[in-house]
Amino acid sequence: MALMAGAAIGMAGFPVHRPRRLRRTPALRRLVAETRLTPPDLVLPLFVKEGLDEPAPVASMPGVVQHTIVSLRKAAVDAVAAGVGGLLLFGIPAVKDARGSAADDPGGVVQRALADLEAEVGDATVLMTDLCLDEYTESGHCGLLTTAGDVDNDATLERYAAIAIAQAAAGAHVVAPSGMMDGQVAAIRSALDGGGFPEVAILGYSAKYASAFYGPFRDAAECAPQFGDRAGYQQDSANGDEALREVAQDLAEGADAVMVKPALAYLDVVRRVADAVAVPVAAYSVSGEYAMVEAAAQRGWIDRERSILETLTGIRRAGADLVITYWATEAARLVA
Ligand code: PBG
C-alpha cells in the first residue's frame, strides 16, 4: 500500500501533501467534489386533495401546499422544467372509510390527478405514487383493522393489490408501497403482472422507521393515526440489521428499487443498504427534516439554502441514488 501522502515531510519541514491546495477556489472544489447533486436525482412529493378550490398551505411545512388538481399540474410542470427526476403523489380523499375505498376508486383523487399529469408531463418525468391506506382510512392506519383493532396484515395486502392496479391503470410508472405490511411487494407484483401491468415498477419503502419526523406530513396528508401508533408495523429506530433483512425480503419479492426513510437520522442505514444491494437506493428526506430547517431558517438561526444543499448532499454521500425531498424543485434550480 502507498504511504499516506500526509506523512511525507518536505524540505522546509512542512507536509508535502497540502489538502488545502484543492480547496482554494470554487472551481477547484467543484472539480474534485466526490458527490454530485444533480436535478435528476431529486424526487418531489406532491399532495393533492379532493374538493379543494385553492391550494391550502401546510402550516408545519412552510412552502408546501395541498394542491388542487389545477395547481398540481402547475407544480409538476415547474418541477419538470427544473429537471427534477420524478414526482411522488399523495392523495387526500374527500371521504374516508374503514376500507379506504377512495384509494382504488378509478375516480379517486390520485387516479384523476395521474391521468392529468400523464397528459401534461408524463413523458418528461417519472410518475410515482405512494401506495398506502393511511390517507384513506378513518383510523388513519396503513391497513384494515381486525375487530380487536389491530392492523390485519393479510387482509390489507388485498387492498394494496387493488390500489396498485388502480394507480397503474391511471398512469403510474412506479408504485411505492409505504405501509410496511409483510409480503406487500409480492402481493403488488403479482397483482400488477396478473392485471396487465408487468412494466410498472415497484419502489419499496423497504426500511421505513416509526419516526417522530413524520409529524408535519400527517398534517399535510391528514393521516394521523386516530388511536395508537405505527410502531407495530414500522421499524424500530434502534435497528440497522433489520433494515437489511427488510430490503433483502423486498428484493426477493420483486422490488425494483428500495428506500430508506427517514434519511437524516438513518444515514448509516442508507450506507449499509447502498453497499449491500445492486438496485437503485432512494432515501426520503421526510417532512420533519424539512420543517426543522425551515423553522430554524425562519428565525435566522441557520442559512437556509446552504442547509438544504448540505442536507441533500449528505444523503447522496451516504449512498442514496435518489433523494425524495420537498425541496426538489428549488434544489434542482440551485444545483443546475
Ligand atoms: C404513509 C406515509 C407517511 C409518509 C410517507 N408515506 C406517513 C407515515 O408513515 O406516518 C411520511 C412522509 C414525510 O414525513 O414526509 N403513507
Side-chain angles (χ1 to χ4, degrees):
M1 206 187 107
L3 277 180
M4 293 273 293
I9 304 294
M11 282 218 316
F14 292 113
V16 170
H17 182 61
R18 289 172 173 265
R20 286 185 54 189
R21 284 186 193 121
L22 295 181
R23 296 179 195 144
R24 197 163 51 85
T25 67
L28 275 166
R29 294 194 290 274
R30 187 182 58 195
L31 181 71
V32 301
E34 296 173 37
T35 308
R36 307 274 171 200
L37 193 60
T38 68
D41 307 324
L42 304 172
V43 173
L44 178 68
L46 290 164
F47 302 103
V48 58
K49 181 171 174 178
E50 189 168 5
L52 270 189
D53 294 328
E54 293 289 326
V58 179
S60 51
M61 299 177 75
V64 173
V65 302
Q66 294 176 323
H67 283 288
T68 66
I69 296 257
V70 173
S71 71
L72 181 79
R73 289 173 85 131
K74 186 175 173 305
V77 168
D78 271 4
V80 171
V84 160
L87 308 174
L88 176 62
L89 264 191
F90 292 89
I92 304 124
V95 179
K96 300 176 192 253
D97 60 18
R99 295 182 66 251
S101 308
D104 59 323
D105 179 344
V109 64
V110 162
Q111 282 70 253
R112 280 195 286 127
L114 273 171
D116 259 28
L117 294 183
E118 176 69 45
E120 186 95 28
V121 292
D123 295 336
T125 193
V126 178
L127 298 178
M128 310 188 195
T129 44
D130 184 79
L131 196 170
C132 200
L133 277 169
D134 57 330
E135 296 92 356
Y136 299 91
T137 52
E138 288 159 337
S139 69
H141 277 287
C142 298
L144 303 185
L145 300 180
T146 63
T147 41
D150 296 322
V151 172
D152 184 338
N153 193 90
D154 296 7
T156 299
L157 296 183
E158 290 173 30
R159 296 291 298 127
Y160 287 179
I163 300 168
I165 296 285
Q167 293 180 343
H173 304 136
V174 177
V175 296
S178 67
M180 291 300 279
M181 295 301 125
D182 293 336
Q184 63 185 14
V185 171
I188 289 166
R189 185 68 272 157
S190 98
L192 289 171
D193 291 349
F197 302 103
E199 74 285 3
V200 171
I202 300 175
L203 164 60
Y205 279 71
S206 306
K208 177 173 176 182
Y209 287 88
S211 174
F213 294 105
Y214 304 152
F217 173 94
R218 291 176 186 176
D219 293 340
E222 303 179 14
C223 64
Q226 296 305 298
F227 63 88
D229 57 31
R230 304 204 207 291
Y233 41 103
Q234 298 179 344
Q235 280 186 245
D236 186 322
S237 64
N239 298 345
D241 294 346
E242 188 187 15
L244 296 182
R245 293 197 293 274
E246 287 277 6
V247 163
Q249 180 70 35
D250 276 7
L251 290 175
E253 291 182 22
D256 301 284
V258 296
M259 190 196 300
V260 175
K261 177 185 176 190
L264 280 191
Y266 301 89
L267 292 179
D268 59 320
V269 179
V270 173
R271 167 48 60 200
R272 289 179 69 185
V273 170
D275 286 345
V277 305
V279 298
V281 175
Y284 196 143
S285 182
V286 301
S287 56
E289 299 173 31
Y290 177 91
M292 286 193 295
V293 170
E294 293 292 340
Q298 267 185 8
R299 287 166 176 72
W301 290 349
I302 57 173
D303 180 319
R304 183 174 172 280
E305 285 185 6
R306 286 186 58 202
S307 302
I308 292 171
L309 293 179
E310 188 174 334
T311 297
L312 300 180
T313 301
I315 296 167
R316 289 270 295 129
R317 194 189 63 246
D321 301 300
L322 310 176
V323 185
I324 301 173
T325 168
Y326 301 97
W327 291 304
T329 303
E330 181 179 356
R333 293 215 173 90
L334 289 174
V335 301

